[in-house]
Amino acid sequence: MTDHPLRNTPAMDAFWMPFTANRQFKAAPRLLVSAEGMHYTADDGRKVLDGSAGLWCVNAGHGRRGIAAAVERQLATLDFAPTFQMGHPIAFEFAERLAEIAPGGPDKRLDRVFFTNSGSESVDTALKIALAYQRAIGQGTRTRLIGRERGYHGVGFGGLSVGGIVSNRRVFPQLNGTDHLRHTHDPARNAFVKGQPEHGAELAEDLERLVALHGAETIAACIVEPVAGSTGVLIPPKGYLERLREICTKHGILLIFDEVISGFGRLGAPFATDFFGVVPDLVTSAKGLTNGTVPMGAVFASRAVHDALMQGPDGIELFHGYTYSGHPIACAAGIATLDIYREEGLLTRVADIADDWAAALHDLRGRKNVIDIRTIGLVAGIELAPRPDAVGKRAYDVFVDCFERGLLTRVTGDIIALSPPLIIERGQIGEIVDILGAAIDRVA
């Protein structure tokens, strides 16, 4: 490995790190101390190309002065105000701005926005809205929630229950009344595909099977990621999302798209909903909502869903919310982020570079132990053959090697996931592929 200067490492005992092997990390920490544009700076002074947009969230790149200035102004004007039985103007302004780019476009009217503080909260909120909607329209027996194997919907008990990552679920009890579709990952038929695979649309029929098993009158909603990110970039087969929409409509089941990762330009359209041309009833978002600067999430609801809860006697229509729903600082960051997206065309920029991205990543085909490559928009999953005695170790070693040589990637199992900021230049795409390919050659 490359030798680097001795780091001035802070004390690490107190911070219990999330989704991290704490003892392993603290024995050999990887610390980032600043960021600008497409790069982090590590604590030893090295520049590290950000191949993962932080954690799928820094879509407009790092160090955006406009966002920082907006947050500073808002802090000096109104640092906090409640949104329980009160309000403040910037939350309404941000919601209106989001409604202008709502998933599906103006005709589909998914333009009612409920603010949360994270993707996990957005998912749990969407699930609760779905249950409340069914009750509001006289379908109170519909309490079952359908997720999908290898789905990731955050870490709330609702998200864990509809999610399908075994390690997330193993320790924690799940909600009663959940079930799962099979996942769509089929490397035997769909390996090394650019864009949507040809095979697998029939897997959507799993929802019909669950309707036959449980009864449509028991099912409130079905939630899927249009593109699953955290389980290794799983891309929906052609026709799959369309068929899910048809089945949900047929049986009165709400369809929820989890766009925490795929929203805000990642696929070359404002949302995956727009990219695939399939419109759900609810859409969850977070991450790119504020360019990762301030924690925030949002749920986009159709007017049909929203308006169903606005009936009946006066009073609180949905007993749900968070102290920080529509936090003024987060709203300021979000509005500044939307300004950048609009001024620089970032919500659609990926459409112009997606082919170059796919071609460059697929050049890694044929490298030792590379068994699949999946690309769509500005996302890629490079799947490595697991080592017989240590599943996940091969990709982890590639991840560490890349970091030591100036590239941040995301590792999940034996899959290297890439999702760089939307401002990436073509030369930087080549740099990512060069560093990753060399790392695979060295340690994979």
Side-chain angles (χ1 to χ4, degrees):
M1 303 297 284
T2 304
D3 291 330
H4 301 302
L6 183 65
R7 297 166 167 84
N8 182 19
T9 304
M12 294 187 170
D13 290 344
F15 180 26
W16 192 343
M17 300 173 68
F19 279 118
T20 299
N22 277 249
R23 291 166 294 176
Q24 182 184 41
F25 176 89
K26 292 172 183 180
R30 295 173 294 278
L31 299 177
L32 305 170
V33 298
S34 65
E36 184 74 21
M38 281 291 300
H39 291 85
Y40 282 106
T41 300
D43 63 336
D44 59 5
R46 289 179 302 117
K47 295 296 183 183
V48 179
L49 181 60
D50 186 359
S52 60
L55 201 58
W56 306 87
C57 53
V58 188
N59 289 6
H62 297 276
R64 287 293 192 155
R65 300 296 185 265
I67 300 175
V71 167
E72 182 180 13
R73 286 193 301 271
Q74 187 59 45
L75 275 169
T77 304
L78 178 68
D79 55 352
F80 176 79
T83 51
F84 293 8
Q85 308 295 342
M86 294 294 297
H88 53 85
I90 196 168
F92 293 96
E93 179 185 353
F94 188 28
E96 289 293 331
R97 289 287 303 276
L98 289 171
E100 293 173 2
I101 61 164
D107 293 341
K108 300 305 179 182
R109 299 165 66 154
L110 267 71
D111 57 3
R112 297 298 183 255
V113 181
F114 195 105
F115 286 122
T116 71
N117 306 292
S118 68
S120 293
E121 289 185 3
S122 290
V123 166
D124 278 19
T125 296
L127 297 176
K128 291 176 77 173
I129 290 174
L131 293 169
Y133 165 80
Q134 297 289 7
R135 180 176 290 274
I137 64 169
Q139 297 287 313
T141 60
R142 292 181 180 264
T143 59
R144 191 175 302 278
L145 302 167
I146 306 300
R148 188 169 58 185
E149 295 172 355
R150 292 189 68 164
Y152 177 67
H153 301 293
V155 296
F157 279 104
L160 284 177
S161 300
V162 293
I165 302 177
V166 173
S167 295
N168 281 13
R169 296 160 54 89
R170 183 173 285 121
V171 176
F172 308 106
Q174 280 91 62
L175 300 179
N176 292 326
T178 57
D179 211 333
H180 295 76
L181 312 171
R182 285 175 291 173
H183 64 74
T184 62
H185 187 41
D186 188 356
R189 295 192 295 171
N190 294 327
F192 297 101
V193 170
K194 299 176 184 177
Q196 290 185 264
E198 295 290 337
H199 307 288
E202 71 280 359
L203 291 166
E205 300 300 326
D206 277 7
L207 186 53
E208 286 280 19
R209 178 178 58 82
L210 294 178
V211 167
L213 174 65
H214 299 297
E217 73 279 4
T218 72
I219 302 175
C222 175
I223 182 170
V224 296
E225 299 159 277
V227 175
S230 295
T231 54
V233 186
L234 308 184
I235 300 167
K238 292 177 180 177
Y240 175 84
L241 295 176
E242 291 86 344
R243 184 59 183 143
L244 277 185
R245 175 69 277 179
E246 290 171 358
I247 296 170
C248 285
T249 300
K250 172 184 174 183
H251 293 292
I253 299 167
L254 291 187
L255 179 60
I256 305 170
F257 278 179
D258 185 343
E259 293 220 39
V260 169
I261 282 175
S262 58
F264 299 102
R266 180 56 52 190
L267 301 185
F271 294 88
T273 295
D274 309 301
F275 180 86
F276 292 115
V278 179
V279 182
D281 303 289
L282 296 161
V283 171
T284 66
S285 68
K287 293 190 184 291
L289 184 64
T290 64
N291 202 44
T293 55
V294 180
M296 195 180 203
V299 177
F300 293 86
S302 70
R303 291 196 188 181
V305 170
H306 169 271
D307 292 352
L309 275 82
M310 297 298 133
Q311 309 301 316
D314 289 342
I316 296 173
E317 298 91 359
L318 180 68
F319 267 83
H320 175 69
Y322 307 95
T323 298
Y324 300 123
S325 290
H327 194 289
I329 307 307
C331 289
I335 291 171
T337 298
L338 291 186
D339 287 343
I340 292 169
Y341 289 158
R342 181 182 60 195
E343 291 162 6
E344 300 183 14
L346 292 183
L347 294 183
T348 56
R349 180 177 186 265
V350 166
D352 295 330
I353 60 173
D355 288 346
D356 293 338
W357 171 257
L361 268 297
H362 279 270
D363 277 347
L364 295 172
R365 183 174 182 173
R367 300 270 184 163
K368 185 179 179 181
N369 290 312
V370 173
I371 60 174
D372 192 16
I373 298 171
R374 303 179 285 278
T375 54
I376 191 168
L378 196 60
V379 187
I382 299 88
E383 187 160 358
L384 306 176
R387 291 175 180 158
D389 59 339
V391 173
K393 185 65 165 60
R394 194 188 303 278
Y396 179 80
D397 287 346
V398 170
F399 158 75
V400 173
D401 189 272
C402 285
F403 179 77
E404 289 296 324
R405 298 172 193 277
L407 172 65
L408 179 65
T409 67
R410 182 90 175 90
V411 62
T412 173
D414 270 302
I415 300 162
I416 297 293
L418 296 169
S419 60
L422 309 182
I423 63 171
I424 192 170
E425 300 295 338
R426 285 174 170 83
Q428 292 166 330
I429 293 174
E431 186 179 351
I432 287 174
V433 173
D434 288 345
I435 295 173
L436 177 57
I440 291 172
D441 289 342
R442 273 189 296 270
V443 303

